Amino acid sequence: MINEIRTRNNTLKWVVGIVLIVSVLLLAASRQLSSELKPIIKAQIKELVLEATDSLYHIEFSDLNTNFITGAASMTEVSIVPDTTVFKRLISRKKAPNNIYFIKLKTLSIRNFHPFRLLRHKKLNIDLLLFENPSIRMVNRQLDFNESDSSQQRKKPYDYITKYLKE
């Protein structure tokens, strides 16, 4: 009887120990992967914003945190700001929008983005996108060429991310 209890306790200790070691290894691997991918993700986000806005806007943020185990990511002190020289150039080419935006966020959080589906299949499914303390300032300037030109085809947001994602 006593030997049976000791055997169960020893087995339980081994199982708990193995689960603990695997958990620590997964956490360490997630942190390592996050730190290695951080500069790549930062560069791709900045490139994507520049490309999607024809270099009119650029994005700045103080920090990027990712957790591939939980599928969470966040950027802190986010600013999306227009470039006035690009805006003037777009006006001269008659391609400038009527509105420009100055956007600031305390935190931009993404929850449950399913990182393995993203890495393996290049499919991005986000369950929650959270904007904390947003501040948006819009400046409107009616431009005559925008009122008369309805033939100008605009790209859809998905068109900009197709080279990174399938879905």
Side-chain angles (χ1 to χ4, degrees):
M1 178 80 166
I2 294 176
N3 286 338
E4 189 176 310
I5 293 173
R6 283 185 186 165
T7 304
R8 282 185 190 167
N9 284 343
N10 285 340
T11 304
L12 184 61
K13 287 178 185 177
W14 275 100
V15 169
V16 169
I18 290 171
V19 168
L20 187 63
I21 289 171
V22 168
S23 298
V24 168
L25 288 175
L26 281 174
L27 182 65
S30 175
R31 287 185 186 252
Q32 181 65 27
L33 183 64
S34 177
S35 67
E36 286 182 14
L37 291 179
K38 188 185 274 192
I40 296 168
I41 294 170
K42 279 184 173 182
Q44 284 188 343
I45 290 171
K46 289 181 180 192
E47 178 187 334
L48 185 63
V49 169
L50 280 173
E51 184 181 320
T53 63
D54 198 17
S55 299
L56 179 57
Y57 292 94
H58 67 277
I59 187 169
E60 296 295 327
F61 44 91
S62 63
D63 196 19
L64 173 71
N65 297 311
T66 56
N67 185 332
F68 292 104
I69 293 174
T70 62
S74 66
M75 293 186 287
T76 55
E77 301 300 329
V78 180
S79 296
I80 301 174
V81 182
D83 186 341
T84 55
T85 57
V86 173
F87 185 66
K88 289 175 185 174
R89 188 173 15 155
L90 289 173
I91 290 174
S92 67
R93 292 184 2 213
K94 297 187 177 189
K95 292 189 176 204
N98 285 340
N99 303 319
I100 57 173
Y101 301 91
F102 297 83
I103 301 170
K104 290 188 182 223
L105 304 166
K106 175 82 173 152
T107 307
L108 170 62
S109 299
I110 300 171
R111 300 277 188 260
N112 301 329
F113 64 90
H114 312 288
F116 297 110
R117 186 181 306 153
L118 175 63
L119 295 172
R120 178 185 259 169
H121 303 291
K122 294 198 179 230
K123 293 182 180 182
L124 180 62
N125 301 101
I126 298 173
D127 291 347
L128 176 67
L129 187 60
L130 182 65
F131 302 99
E132 191 176 311
N133 295 338
S135 168
I136 302 172
R137 187 172 55 125
M138 180 184 82
V139 177
N140 179 273
R141 181 175 173 188
Q142 286 303 117
L143 301 170
D144 294 332
F145 55 83
N146 283 337
E147 302 304 319
S148 62
D149 187 19
S150 62
S151 64
Q152 187 178 30
Q153 294 226 347
R154 303 236 185 239
K155 278 184 156 182
K156 295 179 181 126
Y158 181 70
D159 295 335
Y160 296 105
I161 62 173
T162 54
K163 73 180 186 181
Y164 302 110
L165 302 170
K166 292 180 184 175
E167 178 183 305

